[in-house]
Amino acid sequence: MKLRPLQDRILVQRVEEETKTKGGIIIPDTAKEKPAEGKIVAVGNGKVAESGERIALEVKEGDLVLFGKYSGTEVKVDGEEYLIMREDDILGIIE
Amino acid sequence: MKLRPLQDRILVQRVEEETKTKGGIIIPDTAKEKPAEGKIVAVGNGKVAESGERIALEVKEGDLVLFGKYSGTEVKVDGEEYLIMREDDILGIIE
Amino acid sequence: MKLRPLQDRILVQRVEEETKTKGGIIIPDTAKEKPAEGKIVAVGNGKVAESGERIALEVKEGDLVLFGKYSGTEVKVDGEEYLIMREDDILGIIE
Amino acid sequence: MKLRPLQDRILVQRVEEETKTKGGIIIPDTAKEKPAEGKIVAVGNGKVAESGERIALEVKEGDLVLFGKYSGTEVKVDGEEYLIMREDDILGIIE
Amino acid sequence: MKLRPLQDRILVQRVEEETKTKGGIIIPDTAKEKPAEGKIVAVGNGKVAESGERIALEVKEGDLVLFGKYSGTEVKVDGEEYLIMREDDILGIIE
Amino acid sequence: MKLRPLQDRILVQRVEEETKTKGGIIIPDTAKEKPAEGKIVAVGNGKVAESGERIALEVKEGDLVLFGKYSGTEVKVDGEEYLIMREDDILGIIE
Amino acid sequence: MKLRPLQDRILVQRVEEETKTKGGIIIPDTAKEKPAEGKIVAVGNGKVAESGERIALEVKEGDLVLFGKYSGTEVKVDGEEYLIMREDDILGIIE
């Protein structure tokens, strides 16, 4: 079973914030909203611009990404927890 | 008798949230707004962009979809309850 | 005497909600805003998009439609009550 | 002396609401905002869209129109009272 | 010395509202915002639309215009008081 | 050392408001927001429109301009105080 | 390990405000929001406009830039603190 996001939405599996070994990103303890780390599981086909052209996403399945802590909507697929968010919620790709 | 949605609107029949056998999606019990599951019964012809081009919908009749819990307007057709919402309210297609 | 709506506006004659024989739609008694049923009496020529192109309406005279209960502005023409609203207020066509 | 409206603005002379002989429209006494009746005295050349194209108005001098009761700005030209409003404030043309 | 407005801005010299001989416009004493009368002293080159095209102004130097009473920013050039506003603040040209 | 503004931003050096000999502009003492006078020190390359085209600025280095009193962000470069603002904050060019 | 920003986002390393030797910019002590100085470490590929065209960034890796004091989201990569912000948050490039 799979969940395919629509348009510019993506399906992300959150990486535990305590586990800093995966990507090496350490979130500082400041008053600012802290970004979270996740792995992209599925992506949409991209949004259609006013010109009628479909704009492909910059992220792809498997990318390790950083996103705003409160971004997305939680959902469980086959017992696993995921987040559905828009590509615009992604701050950057961890390489 | 049929109800044909206009433009980027779709007609959805809600799938009971207790029935987790249909799509296998389990909605987690968090404070966040939980998505609901439904089956698409009818779709519009798509919205017309500022370029004058009609943008076809990504979803089609029969698709099992996930949408925001409070999305859409309720309506009864031939005794059955449905929801009319915009394609943008759809978070993803369950495959 | 006739009233011709401008651009993407339409003239609708409300169908009494108690009369469920006309279209067979029964409005459920929920807390949500309930849609109303009406018959289209006249339509505008369509809105002009930023591209300069006029976008024809999807609805036409005679269509039986569903719209948000509080949509439109009331007006009396030759003693009959009508509603003037935009095509975007129409949720779907009853076929 | 004349007042020429700019772009998508029009100059309208209000028709007294008590006089129902002119166009035959009777405004119902409901809680909703009631539309008013007027005659178009002058029209602008139309608004320029983002495409750079000027969009001609649908209404012309002499048209009897219906508009929202509180639309427009009042002005007196040669002792006569008029309203300056945008074409979008016009609900329909009385034919 | 001269002040040249940018883009769709214009420089207007207010005509005293008490002087009704200049253009013959008498402002009615209603509760609505009353328009003011002025003479255009200088105009900008026009705004650039999203299409990249510059849209020429409809008003020109010397035009007698009507504008919203509180439109524009006051400025003194060589001891004379003027108003800088956008063309969109102009309601119409007095001819 | 130089500070180059991005896109439609400009770098302005404020001209003292008490010094009315430079441009001859006297700011009236009204309740309205008073514009300030300044000299353009550097300009950006212009904003990119939705059409993908870069729109050149109308102002250039050396222009004496008028802008809203509270426009822009203050910054010190090599001990001199400047303002960084957008071209849209400029009301007009003093010639 | 690297963090690649998406679209029109950039990764910036803040330059200490006390160190005025790097760029020579001294931030004045006023009540206004003071800009901060930083070095660009990585840039995105640019945002896609409604025309479907990708708009390249004006800034590049290595640029010394000025930005609003509260712009961006903090993140730690390999023990170093960075800020992720949009190019639009950049006021100018220090040359």
Side-chain angles (χ1 to χ4, degrees):
Chain A
M1 204 212 83
K2 251 183 66 183
L3 182 66
R4 177 161 64 84
L6 283 189
Q7 297 180 43
D8 60 336
R9 287 198 179 82
I10 55 176
L11 192 67
V12 176
Q13 190 165 28
R14 194 190 286 271
V15 172
E16 278 314 304
E17 292 175 26
E18 286 76 21
T19 321
K20 72 174 192 190
T21 51
K22 274 199 175 171
I25 302 278
I26 305 157
I27 313 303
D29 284 339
T30 68
K32 286 201 163 191
E33 187 186 315
K34 294 180 276 180
E37 196 177 327
K39 194 175 171 176
I40 293 182
V41 174
V43 299
N45 291 327
K47 202 171 52 176
V48 177
E50 284 298 334
S51 62
E53 195 176 342
R54 190 173 294 271
I55 299 166
L57 296 190
E58 258 192 272
V59 294
K60 57 177 195 300
E61 212 190 300
D63 279 352
L64 207 58
V65 294
L66 224 60
F67 51 89
K69 200 181 186 176
Y70 302 109
S71 300
T73 304
E74 294 189 7
V75 62
K76 243 184 193 164
V77 183
D78 292 342
E80 291 274 327
E81 271 191 36
Y82 297 95
L83 285 165
I84 293 178
M85 62 184 75
R86 292 181 184 274
E87 195 199 28
D88 202 55
D89 294 324
I90 301 294
L91 298 168
I93 302 173
I94 303 164
E95 291 178 332
Chain B
M1 205 212 81
K2 251 182 66 182
L3 182 67
R4 177 160 64 84
L6 284 188
Q7 297 180 43
D8 60 336
R9 287 198 178 82
I10 54 177
L11 192 67
V12 176
Q13 190 165 28
R14 194 190 286 271
V15 172
E16 278 314 302
E17 292 175 26
E18 287 75 20
T19 321
K20 72 173 194 190
T21 51
K22 275 198 176 173
I25 302 278
I26 305 157
I27 312 303
D29 285 339
T30 69
K32 288 202 162 190
E33 187 185 316
K34 293 179 276 179
E37 196 177 329
K39 194 176 172 176
I40 293 182
V41 174
V43 299
N45 291 326
K47 201 171 53 175
V48 177
E50 284 298 333
S51 62
E53 196 176 340
R54 191 172 294 271
I55 299 166
L57 297 190
E58 258 192 273
V59 294
K60 57 177 195 300
E61 211 189 299
D63 279 352
L64 207 59
V65 294
L66 224 60
F67 51 88
K69 200 182 186 174
Y70 302 109
S71 300
T73 304
E74 294 189 6
V75 61
K76 242 184 193 164
V77 183
D78 291 342
E80 291 274 327
E81 271 192 36
Y82 296 95
L83 285 165
I84 294 178
M85 62 184 75
R86 293 180 184 275
E87 195 199 28
D88 202 56
D89 294 323
I90 301 295
L91 297 169
I93 302 173
I94 302 165
E95 292 179 332
Chain C
M1 206 212 82
K2 252 183 65 183
L3 182 67
R4 177 160 65 84
L6 284 188
Q7 296 180 42
D8 60 337
R9 286 197 179 82
I10 55 176
L11 192 67
V12 176
Q13 190 165 27
R14 193 190 288 270
V15 173
E16 279 314 303
E17 292 176 25
E18 287 74 21
T19 321
K20 71 173 194 191
T21 50
K22 275 199 176 172
I25 302 278
I26 305 157
I27 313 302
D29 286 338
T30 69
K32 286 202 162 190
E33 188 186 313
K34 293 179 277 179
E37 196 178 329
K39 194 177 171 174
I40 293 183
V41 175
V43 300
N45 292 326
K47 202 170 53 174
V48 178
E50 284 298 333
S51 61
E53 197 176 340
R54 189 172 296 271
I55 299 166
L57 296 190
E58 259 192 274
V59 294
K60 58 177 194 300
E61 212 189 300
D63 279 353
L64 207 59
V65 294
L66 224 60
F67 51 89
K69 200 182 187 175
Y70 302 109
S71 299
T73 304
E74 294 190 5
V75 62
K76 242 184 195 165
V77 183
D78 292 341
E80 292 273 327
E81 271 191 36
Y82 296 96
L83 285 165
I84 294 177
M85 63 184 74
R86 294 180 184 274
E87 195 199 29
D88 203 54
D89 294 324
I90 302 295
L91 297 169
I93 302 174
I94 302 165
E95 292 179 331
Chain D
M1 205 212 83
K2 253 183 64 183
L3 183 66
R4 177 159 66 84
L6 284 187
Q7 297 181 43
D8 60 336
R9 287 196 179 83
I10 55 176
L11 191 67
V12 176
Q13 190 166 27
R14 194 191 287 270
V15 173
E16 279 313 303
E17 290 176 26
E18 286 75 20
T19 321
K20 72 173 195 192
T21 50
K22 274 198 176 173
I25 302 278
I26 305 157
I27 313 303
D29 286 338
T30 68
K32 286 202 161 190
E33 188 187 313
K34 293 179 278 179
E37 196 178 329
K39 195 177 170 174
I40 293 182
V41 175
V43 300
N45 292 325
K47 204 171 51 174
V48 177
E50 285 297 334
S51 61
E53 196 176 340
R54 189 173 295 272
I55 300 167
L57 296 190
E58 259 192 274
V59 294
K60 59 176 193 302
E61 212 190 301
D63 279 353
L64 206 59
V65 293
L66 224 61
F67 52 88
K69 200 182 187 175
Y70 303 109
S71 299
T73 305
E74 295 189 5
V75 62
K76 241 183 195 165
V77 182
D78 292 342
E80 292 273 328
E81 271 191 36
Y82 297 95
L83 285 165
I84 294 177
M85 63 184 74
R86 293 179 183 275
E87 195 200 28
D88 202 55
D89 294 324
I90 301 295
L91 297 169
I93 302 175
I94 303 164
E95 293 179 332
Chain E
M1 204 213 83
K2 253 182 65 183
L3 182 67
R4 178 159 65 84
L6 284 187
Q7 297 181 43
D8 60 337
R9 287 197 180 83
I10 55 176
L11 192 66
V12 176
Q13 190 165 27
R14 194 190 287 269
V15 173
E16 280 313 304
E17 291 176 27
E18 286 75 21
T19 320
K20 72 173 193 191
T21 51
K22 274 200 176 172
I25 302 278
I26 305 157
I27 313 302
D29 285 339
T30 68
K32 285 202 161 189
E33 188 187 315
K34 294 179 277 179
E37 197 179 328
K39 195 177 169 174
I40 293 181
V41 175
V43 299
N45 292 326
K47 203 170 53 174
V48 177
E50 285 297 335
S51 61
E53 196 176 340
R54 189 173 295 271
I55 299 167
L57 296 190
E58 259 192 274
V59 294
K60 59 176 193 303
E61 211 189 301
D63 279 353
L64 206 59
V65 294
L66 224 60
F67 52 88
K69 200 182 186 174
Y70 303 108
S71 300
T73 304
E74 295 190 5
V75 62
K76 242 184 193 162
V77 182
D78 292 342
E80 292 273 329
E81 270 191 36
Y82 297 96
L83 285 165
I84 294 177
M85 64 184 72
R86 292 180 184 274
E87 195 201 28
D88 202 54
D89 294 323
I90 302 294
L91 297 169
I93 303 174
I94 303 165
E95 291 180 331
Chain F
M1 203 213 84
K2 251 183 64 183
L3 183 66
R4 178 160 65 83
L6 283 188
Q7 297 180 42
D8 60 337
R9 286 197 181 82
I10 55 176
L11 192 66
V12 176
Q13 190 165 28
R14 194 190 287 269
V15 172
E16 279 314 303
E17 291 175 28
E18 286 75 20
T19 321
K20 71 173 192 190
T21 51
K22 274 200 175 170
I25 301 277
I26 305 157
I27 312 302
D29 285 339
T30 67
K32 287 201 159 188
E33 187 186 315
K34 294 179 278 179
E37 196 178 328
K39 195 177 169 175
I40 294 182
V41 175
V43 299
N45 292 326
K47 202 171 52 174
V48 177
E50 285 297 335
S51 61
E53 196 176 340
R54 189 172 295 271
I55 299 167
L57 296 191
E58 258 191 274
V59 294
K60 58 177 193 304
E61 210 190 302
D63 280 352
L64 206 59
V65 293
L66 223 62
F67 50 88
K69 200 182 185 175
Y70 303 109
S71 300
T73 305
E74 295 190 7
V75 62
K76 243 184 193 162
V77 182
D78 292 342
E80 292 273 327
E81 271 191 35
Y82 297 96
L83 285 165
I84 293 178
M85 64 184 73
R86 292 180 184 274
E87 195 200 27
D88 202 56
D89 293 324
I90 302 294
L91 298 169
I93 303 174
I94 302 165
E95 292 181 330
Chain G
M1 204 213 83
K2 251 183 65 184
L3 182 66
R4 177 160 65 84
L6 283 188
Q7 297 180 41
D8 59 337
R9 286 199 180 80
I10 55 176
L11 191 67
V12 176
Q13 190 166 28
R14 195 189 286 270
V15 172
E16 279 313 304
E17 291 175 28
E18 287 76 21
T19 322
K20 73 174 191 190
T21 51
K22 273 199 175 172
I25 302 277
I26 306 157
I27 313 302
D29 285 339
T30 68
K32 287 202 161 189
E33 187 186 314
K34 294 180 277 180
E37 197 178 328
K39 195 177 170 175
I40 294 182
V41 175
V43 299
N45 291 327
K47 203 171 52 175
V48 177
E50 284 297 335
S51 61
E53 196 176 341
R54 190 172 294 272
I55 299 166
L57 296 190
E58 259 192 272
V59 294
K60 57 176 195 302
E61 211 190 302
D63 280 352
L64 206 58
V65 293
L66 223 61
F67 51 88
K69 200 181 186 175
Y70 303 108
S71 300
T73 304
E74 295 189 7
V75 61
K76 243 183 194 164
V77 183
D78 291 343
E80 291 274 326
E81 271 191 37
Y82 297 95
L83 284 165
I84 293 178
M85 63 185 73
R86 292 180 184 273
E87 195 200 27
D88 202 55
D89 293 324
I90 301 294
L91 298 168
I93 303 173
I94 302 165
E95 290 180 333

